[in-house]
Amino acid sequence: MRHNPDDYMKDSAGRLVPRANVKPEDLLQDELVKKLFERARAIRELMRQFREDADSDIRGFLDLLAEQYGAKKGGAKGNLTLSTYDGCERVTIAIAGTITVGPELQITEQFEIIAGTLRRRIASEG
């Protein structure tokens, strides 16, 4: 006997449950969530394409400014704000800086915590 895969649903634990055993409200919820995720994926793709297009347009604008006017926009880290002439609309590009903590600094931080604890203990016993 062969089972039709459409007659089963996978639950959150990964088990196959006969569709007939799933509550109607759970079926409705499953359908709603899947529909919303489908729409969200489409919007995410539109946003990805928009970011690529905007990045390309802004780079072109900055190249044009540099070439024709010798002007440079943006900060040293790459942060940039472009606005309409009246200032009512603006596009901001913010580059987040990251700091990587190596094992040496982590050990030093731990040592400082231990040293501070010892100083407080000695001071309280003093």
Side-chain angles (χ1 to χ4, degrees), residues 14-15 20 26 39 42 53 61 67 73 76-77 103 120:
R15 299 174 298 231
D26 290 339
R39 288 176 53 204
D53 293 347
F61 170 73
E67 180 183 312
K73 285 205 174 264
K77 294 182 181 179
R120 283 191 299 278

Side-chain angles (χ1 to χ4, degrees), residues 48-64:
R48 185 196 61 75
Q49 187 61 51
F50 170 77
R51 283 192 303 271
E52 283 182 12
D53 293 347
D55 183 62
S56 177
D57 291 348
I58 291 169
R59 286 179 194 275
F61 170 73
L62 295 176
D63 290 346
L64 177 71

Side-chain angles (χ1 to χ4, degrees), residues 4 10 13 17 21 26 48-49 51 56 59-60 62 78 81 85-87 92 94-95 98 107 120:
N4 183 353
K10 190 181 291 189
V17 177
N21 293 355
D26 290 339
R48 185 196 61 75
Q49 187 61 51
R51 283 192 303 271
S56 177
R59 286 179 194 275
L62 295 176
T81 299
Y85 190 70
D86 64 6
T92 301
I95 309 297
T98 58
I107 291 170
R120 283 191 299 278

